[in-house]
Amino acid sequence: MTMIQLSYYVEVVNQHHFTRAAEKLFVSQSTLSKAIRALENEFQVEFINRRAKDLLVTADGLVFYEYATKLLEYYNAQTQELYQHLHCANGTLRLGLPPTAGTIYFSSLLYQFRDAYPETILKITESTSKSVLELVDEGTLDLGVVIEPFSDSKFFSQIVYTSEAVLVVSKQHPLAAKQCVEFRELKPERFLMVTPDYMYHDRVLERCQTAGFVPNIVFESSQWDLLLEMVSNNQGISILPKPLIDKVYSDRVHQIHLKNPEFSWALSVIYRKDKFITVPMQRFLKLCDKAQQSSTMQPQSKQNSTYD
């Protein structure tokens, strides 16, 4: 028994005629007849007396008509309530955010979202990109922020912010006189790195290996500000997102562009492809897209500040 079969049967009884019901439902008369016959076979009773000159509903047919009418009314009411619940402004958005992503970009975006949709409950989980990916995968989070390049067939990803990662040295370091260096020049340097639980850690290693060497990592920390403090005290070099330096440490360290290979850096919002996209998710993604488009339309001089 299906809801379509029930709706066909109710319409035939309401119209008291197969042809008129078929015209109103935009189906063939044979389709209606087969649907009702299937119901009769399922319950092993006759609902409509086809031997009568005019359409005649049997006593069992009247009982079934009352049942079908109530069931359809309940189904339609519940469907409408579900639709309103899914498409109303209320709801919860569970977002996974790496610590630096909030500092660099998402603090203003989160403010805009809260201001535009105050009725939506926004729950932020701060964790590394690797942990965020796992939480989105298991369904604990609706959306998560990771760094590019990101590729996984289970996820949809949308780039929301683009910049670059730069070499950061103290102003007393010999490389501080340069505006650009090749990765291979960094082979003898002492690297201050984020811990391996950050996706970013792997990205740095990949580029060093592409340049033909394994970096000499002398210190690792999950605290970006600690790494920058150590760089400023000439305890080693680091490779960090340029927007982070611009925002909190531009006057204390020297930034150097990297090439061969270059180090583009981008943030993406991800979600599972098989997940139902709620209205809060749609609205947040739309806000991200709008912000990204606005950023790419700005003059290049405003997007990237000059190196110290």
Side-chain angles (χ1 to χ4, degrees):
M1 180 178 66
T2 66
M3 302 306 294
I4 291 178
Q5 290 174 326
L6 293 180
S7 64
Y8 284 177
Y9 176 73
V10 168
E11 194 59 41
V12 168
V13 175
N14 287 341
Q15 297 296 328
H16 212 69
H17 202 281
F18 273 96
T19 302
R20 288 195 296 270
E23 291 174 351
K24 187 168 184 179
L25 293 168
F26 299 102
V27 297
S28 66
Q29 185 173 331
S30 63
T31 298
L32 287 182
S33 182
K34 289 178 182 179
I36 295 174
R37 181 69 72 184
L39 288 172
E40 291 174 326
N41 291 337
E42 182 177 347
F43 290 96
Q44 298 183 348
V45 293
E46 185 179 57
F47 295 150
I48 295 177
N49 185 352
R50 293 169 178 78
R51 296 177 297 278
K53 183 178 180 180
D54 297 321
L55 187 145
L56 180 63
V57 182
T58 66
D60 288 332
L62 291 174
V63 172
F64 189 77
Y65 171 79
E66 183 178 356
Y67 163 83
T69 301
K70 290 180 180 179
L71 188 57
L72 285 171
E73 289 176 351
Y74 176 80
Y75 172 80
N76 291 333
Q78 290 299 306
T79 300
Q80 183 176 7
E81 182 178 334
L82 175 62
Y83 183 88
Q84 291 175 347
H85 175 74
L86 294 176
H87 290 270
C88 69
N90 297 323
T92 300
L93 177 63
R94 301 168 300 170
L95 175 67
L97 196 63
T100 53
T103 302
I104 292 172
Y105 177 72
F106 280 90
S107 58
S108 61
L109 200 64
L110 294 176
Y111 173 79
Q112 293 175 46
F113 185 81
R114 288 182 184 276
D115 185 58
Y117 310 109
E119 67 282 350
T120 299
I121 300 172
L122 184 58
K123 294 184 177 180
I124 305 296
T125 297
E126 290 187 316
S127 188
T128 66
S129 293
K130 289 183 178 179
S131 296
V132 166
L133 175 60
E134 294 172 357
L135 293 172
V136 174
D137 190 22
E138 69 185 30
T140 302
L141 297 175
D142 301 313
L143 300 171
V145 176
V146 298
I147 68 168
E148 290 289 329
F150 174 80
S151 178
D152 191 314
S153 59
K154 291 190 298 184
F155 297 88
F156 172 86
S157 63
Q158 173 181 325
I159 294 178
V160 295
Y161 186 82
T162 56
S163 184
E164 67 171 319
V166 293
L167 174 65
V168 189
V169 300
S170 72
K171 294 190 175 183
Q172 295 76 42
H173 194 282
L175 291 176
K178 294 191 174 185
Q179 298 298 316
C180 181
V181 300
E182 296 189 3
F183 256 91
R184 62 181 177 81
E185 298 178 59
L186 305 182
K187 183 177 180 179
E189 297 295 335
R190 294 160 51 88
F191 276 73
L192 309 174
M193 293 270 284
V194 294
T195 52
D197 52 333
Y198 282 85
M199 281 185 179
Y200 187 80
H201 179 277
D202 298 340
R203 303 296 181 261
V204 175
L205 289 183
E206 289 167 3
R207 282 163 175 78
C208 290
Q209 290 165 2
T210 298
F213 71 96
V214 176
N216 175 26
I217 302 174
V218 298
F219 183 76
E220 293 179 339
S221 175
S222 61
Q223 301 180 50
W224 302 74
D225 55 345
L226 175 58
L227 295 177
L228 285 166
E229 189 66 30
M230 293 177 69
V231 169
S232 69
N233 291 326
N234 206 20
Q235 297 181 45
I237 67 168
S238 192
I239 299 175
L240 296 171
K242 177 174 173 53
L244 180 66
I245 317 303
D246 289 340
K247 196 160 190 174
V248 298
Y249 258 78
S250 61
D251 60 335
R252 299 188 60 187
V253 295
H254 181 69
Q255 302 179 47
I256 305 173
H257 178 72
L258 291 163
K259 65 179 182 178
N260 295 330
E262 291 193 344
F263 199 158
S264 60
W265 181 84
L267 295 174
S268 286
V269 174
I270 64 168
Y271 61 86
R272 283 187 63 108
K273 290 181 179 178
D274 58 358
K275 179 177 177 58
F276 178 80
I277 310 302
T278 64
V279 171
M281 289 173 64
Q282 293 175 23
R283 287 176 168 174
F284 189 80
L285 290 170
K286 186 176 181 180
L287 191 62
C288 289
D289 186 55
K290 183 178 179 181
Q292 171 67 359
Q293 291 179 13
S294 176
S295 175
T296 56
M297 290 176 64
Q298 293 180 12
Q300 188 68 21
S301 60
K302 291 185 178 181
Q303 291 185 56
N304 298 305
S305 60
T306 57
Y307 300 105
D308 295 345

